[in-house]
Amino acid sequence: QEPEMTSEAGPGSDETPVEIALYGPSEVAAGDSFVVQVVASKVRDLVAARLTLRYPGTLAEFAGIHPGPLMGKEEEESRALLAGVPAGTIEAQVSRVEGIPGVSGEGALALVAFKVLAAGRLEVSLEACELVSADGQTLSCSAGSMTAEAI
């Protein structure tokens, strides 16, 4: 019988959830574009990250996603794939190019661009994340959010 997968590290496990934080500007102006960095700490041998971000679709629109510096040079070492962009949600994956070893350490997994449509409280949150290591293991991660005042 297979043990149940949980998002929490069990007793005796040295695996702690990878912390994911979102960083962006604290203030943006309507009409401007801004970038949110999806930053991971303590990753080991990471080959892919599946991310679901949520944002207020009335205040901002999704403008693009690119692999962050931690994942390596885009196209040569890494790529970003968009699974879907339902209103107010982004489902995407950033990954290493097949055949290239995984990455370890801390840094930006993805850079997500938005365009500000209107003034208001603009919260971008990471609804779900799944990290995959080179040996196929799924790593648990804790999610964060960031808020900018759109003026």
Side-chain angles (χ1 to χ4, degrees):
Q1 185 175 340
E2 292 284 324
E4 270 189 54
M5 293 295 286
T6 63
S7 60
E8 306 251 328
S13 168
D14 63 353
E15 187 181 328
T16 54
V18 174
E19 290 174 30
I20 306 281
L22 302 184
Y23 295 102
S26 57
E27 195 173 274
V28 291
D32 281 0
S33 294
F34 70 99
V35 172
V36 173
Q37 294 185 60
V38 181
V39 177
S41 64
K42 300 181 282 187
V43 296
R44 283 196 311 263
D45 212 12
L46 182 74
V47 293
R50 294 182 196 104
L51 309 167
T52 302
L53 292 114
R54 198 169 296 282
Y55 64 96
T58 54
L59 300 182
E61 69 182 4
F62 171 69
I65 183 168
H66 297 279
L70 180 64
M71 298 303 284
K73 195 169 185 173
E74 190 167 12
E75 298 307 324
E76 285 178 37
E77 298 175 306
S78 64
R79 61 174 55 104
L81 299 170
L82 205 53
V85 196
T89 305
I90 301 158
E91 295 167 1
Q93 175 175 301
V94 290
S95 60
R96 298 284 283 169
V97 170
E98 200 170 317
I100 294 193
V103 295
S104 299
E106 183 172 325
L109 295 173
L111 305 174
V112 186
F114 294 91
K115 182 170 185 193
V116 182
L117 300 176
R121 187 172 180 272
L122 219 162
E123 183 178 6
V124 179
S125 62
L126 189 62
E127 289 287 299
C129 63
E130 184 178 74
L131 305 178
V132 182
S133 64
D135 61 5
Q137 297 267 331
T138 301
L139 310 171
S140 59
C141 45
S142 64
S145 66
M146 60 80 52
T147 303
E149 275 311 311
I151 54 172

